[in-house]
Amino acid sequence: MSTTHDQNSMNENPINQSDEVMLPRPVRDSQSEMSEIVLPNDANPLGALLGGRLMHWIDLAGAMAAHRHARNYVVTAAIDHMDFWVPVHVGDLVILRSSVNRVFRTSMEVGVKVWVENYIADDCHHVGSAYLTFVAIDAAGRHVQVPAVIPETDDQRRRYDDAGRRREIRRTERERRKANLR
């Protein structure tokens, strides 16, 4: 066994970038769901979920969808605006659903929708939604191409189109911030 071969294989992508891996994938292949019970350590002194903890869970849920789609390492590049519409309390069940909305060569927009379920009162409410941008990278940190995503439902096609508009807004805002730094 060659040591050079072993070292080289450790530096390659975790997944071979074959033609099959680069075939477009339907949104449903990236759909992910995670659940968390809010514990006292997740809350402020009033028993409400900390916003930072929820944002951490949103990042994890988004990463799951991005990993499933890219079949590669991904890193968070950006998160769009986040509103918290209803409070979440200790003992509540938080449900996070995510999927890839659109792919842009090496990056992808992932939507995450957050729900709170009070299983004792048997009710469920929408807490908020977020759009995150993830970039696929190899083990050396270089950007790698991501397969296209195929929206199959009307809702997925709407999110696909909306993602293109949000990308343009992000680009315009990034250029504005760069100009202000000069």
Side-chain angles (χ1 to χ4, degrees):
M1 186 184 293
S2 165
T3 306
T4 305
H5 172 66
D6 291 343
Q7 288 173 345
N8 286 341
S9 63
M10 286 174 44
N11 292 327
E12 293 175 9
N13 289 344
I15 307 235
N16 183 6
Q17 290 279 31
S18 68
D19 290 340
E20 183 179 318
V21 171
M22 291 308 295
L23 289 175
R25 296 190 184 98
V27 170
R28 67 183 135 79
D29 284 2
S30 71
Q31 291 175 328
S32 301
E33 182 174 303
M34 68 181 261
S35 302
E36 296 282 344
I37 294 177
V38 180
L39 300 174
N41 193 45
D42 302 320
N44 66 24
L46 299 175
L49 177 64
L50 293 164
R53 177 76 76 201
L54 181 56
M55 290 170 58
H56 174 75
W57 292 342
I58 288 168
D59 191 35
L60 292 173
M64 288 181 356
H67 280 292
R68 281 187 167 157
H69 183 81
R71 297 184 189 168
N72 217 319
Y73 300 118
V74 298
V75 294
T76 310
I79 181 169
D80 286 5
H81 184 86
M82 181 73 215
D83 286 320
F84 304 101
W85 296 322
V86 297
V88 178
H89 297 99
V90 171
D92 286 342
L93 180 65
V94 176
I95 302 162
L96 301 101
R97 295 184 180 108
S98 60
S99 61
V100 171
N101 290 336
R102 190 162 179 171
V103 169
F104 305 100
R105 193 165 142 55
T106 63
S107 68
M108 52 205 127
E109 183 193 89
V110 175
V112 180
K113 197 165 195 176
V114 182
W115 299 89
V116 60
E117 179 181 316
N118 182 315
Y119 42 86
I120 294 171
D122 193 29
D123 64 357
C124 190
H125 299 281
H126 183 204
V127 173
S129 299
Y131 301 103
L132 298 90
T133 302
F134 289 90
V135 175
I137 60 170
D138 64 16
R142 294 180 299 258
H143 292 205
V144 295
Q145 190 170 346
V146 179
V149 68
I150 304 167
E152 298 176 304
T153 68
D154 288 342
D155 189 45
Q156 290 171 359
R157 283 186 281 279
R158 178 191 54 77
R159 290 196 319 257
Y160 181 93
D161 292 340
D162 290 349
R165 287 188 280 281
R166 280 188 294 273
R167 183 174 197 227
E168 287 308 311
I169 291 167
R170 285 188 292 267
R171 280 184 166 185
T172 301
E173 181 61 21
R174 188 171 43 246
E175 291 303 316
R176 186 190 65 75
R177 284 192 310 266
K178 281 183 186 178
N180 286 340
L181 291 175
R182 295 179 196 156

